């Protein structure tokens, strides 16, 4: 009996899908795919089937991808456990020096002047007087030996010490019922956290690495170190902190990366 070729599926597009829309939104797709939201590689065919959007309309594709990313954020926030501790490690496993990471190469780092550096405070904070670097030494110190996980796929174990972020927020009279903490950095980088992550016991304002003052190019004199977020959620060279109920977009969220970015 002769074997016949199967009839073309009525669900298969009659022309090839324009992949340029996927290329333009590569960051969003890689983030969604990395978290296995759609299980396996994300394709425009699958996305069009799930959403009904016209994949030839690039703005529609981007809007759909942003909607999936926002849904991912909400799910992560719902399952976040505010007192669940991340795995810690021994001093023997600490990498020295820490690995540099930024949105630009290490050669472009512009060192911060300790004499002129200050931390500005804004938003829902009772005491908005700026802080100098030496003031952080007057608060109880907290140490973390945790894994830094980069969205690019590499990681290392680091030993960070500084001020527990909750302790600092209480000291300045911050509204702990506010929704967000926003950060501005000396290199114009911006980042923000949900309040639950800011209050997590393994979130600190780090001033030291391996018990020595943080040097450049690693964020002197102040950087965030949280054990529950991907690496890019830990801003360096912090120059301003704001407590707010208004969602503060960030350098990477404006470029399509998942904002919550928990691990």
């Amino acid at each position: 009996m002769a074997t016949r070729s199967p009839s073309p599926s009525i669900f298969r597009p009659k022309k090839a899908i324009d992949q340029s829309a996927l290329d333009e939104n590569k960051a969003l797709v890689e983030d969604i795919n990395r978290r296995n939201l759609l299980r396996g590689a994300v394709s425009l065919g699958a996305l069009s089937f799930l959403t009904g959007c016209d994949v030839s309309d690039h703005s529609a594709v981007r809007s759909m991808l942003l909607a999936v990313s926002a849904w991912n954020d909400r799910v992560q926030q719902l399952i976040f456990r505010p007192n669940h501790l991340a795995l810690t490690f021994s001093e023997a496993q600490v990498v020295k020096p820490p690995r540099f990471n930024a949105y630009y190469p290490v050669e472009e780092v512009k060192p911060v002047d300790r004499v002129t550096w200050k931390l500005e405070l804004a938003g829902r904070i009772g005491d908005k007087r700026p802080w100098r670097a030496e003031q952080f030494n007057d608060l109880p110190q907290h140490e973390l030996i945790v894994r830094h996980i980069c969205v690019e796929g590499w990681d290392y174990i680091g030993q960070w010490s500084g001020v527990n972020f909750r302790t600092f927020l209480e000291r300045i009279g911050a509204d702990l019922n506010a929704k967000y903490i926003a950060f501005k950095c000396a290199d114009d980088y911006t980042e923000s956290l949900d309040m639950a992550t800011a209050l997590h016991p393994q979130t600190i304002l780090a001033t030291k690495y391996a018990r020595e003052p943080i040097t450049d190019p690693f964020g002197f004199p102040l950087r965030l170190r949280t054990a529950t977020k991907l690496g890019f959620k830990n801003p360096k060279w912090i120059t301003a902190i704001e407590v707010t109920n208004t969602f503060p977009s960030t350098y990477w969220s404006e470029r399509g990366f998942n904002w919550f970015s928990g691990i």
Side-chain angles (χ1 to χ4, degrees), residues 102-127:
Y103 64 95
Y104 49 82
V106 66
E107 294 80 14
E108 296 181 15
V109 170
K110 297 178 180 179
V112 171
D113 184 352
R114 183 185 182 92
V115 175
T116 59
W117 180 90
K118 60 182 177 180
L119 178 67
E120 301 284 356
L121 302 173
R124 303 176 70 85
I125 293 174
D127 185 352

Side-chain angles (χ1 to χ4, degrees), residues 61 65 69 91 99 174 199 216:
V61 172
L65 290 170
S69 185
E91 285 191 53
R99 181 167 174 171
L199 300 180
D216 279 326

